[in-house]
């Protein structure tokens, strides 16, 4: 954590706005693409499940859909978070001095 370039105070917080926004956007985008994947995995699950019987087909479809949707959202959230972190470090004034209120970029990023 750098100290404030204006008053040299070590009491500095990171804002992480880009990371938070990126994670949220990524989760939505990931869940959306996950929904498409969920349909495919649901079909796959239904196909394999139907070897066991009708109940197996339903269970397979539900399990496939859940796995596809969840993993899509999680992956999207992670990717969005990483992109947002890069935006925080490179573009935004991500640090906020609690002493004087000065906002500045991390000079070491
Ligand atoms: Zn300061």
């Amino acid at each position: 954590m750098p100290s404030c370039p204006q008053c040299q105070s070590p009491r500095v917080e990171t804002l992480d706005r880009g990371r938070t926004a990126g994670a949220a956007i990524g989760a939505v985008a990931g869940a959306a693409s996950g929904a498409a994947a969920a349909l495919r995995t649901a079909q796959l699950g239904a196909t394999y499940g139907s070897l066991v019987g009708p109940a197996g087909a339903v269970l397979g479809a539900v399990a496939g859909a859940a796995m596809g949707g969840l993993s899509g959202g999680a992956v999207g959230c992670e990717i969005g978070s990483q992109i947002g972190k890069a935006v925080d470090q490179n573009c935004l004034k991500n640090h906020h001095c609690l002493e004087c209120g000065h906002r500045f970029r991390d000079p070491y990023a």
Side-chain angles (χ1 to χ4, degrees), residues 4 7 97 100:
C4 175
C7 69
C97 175
C100 71

Side-chain angles (χ1 to χ4, degrees), residues 80-91:
S81 172
Q82 292 301 320
I83 294 170
K85 195 175 159 189
V87 170
D88 277 338
Q89 286 175 347
N90 296 307
C91 307

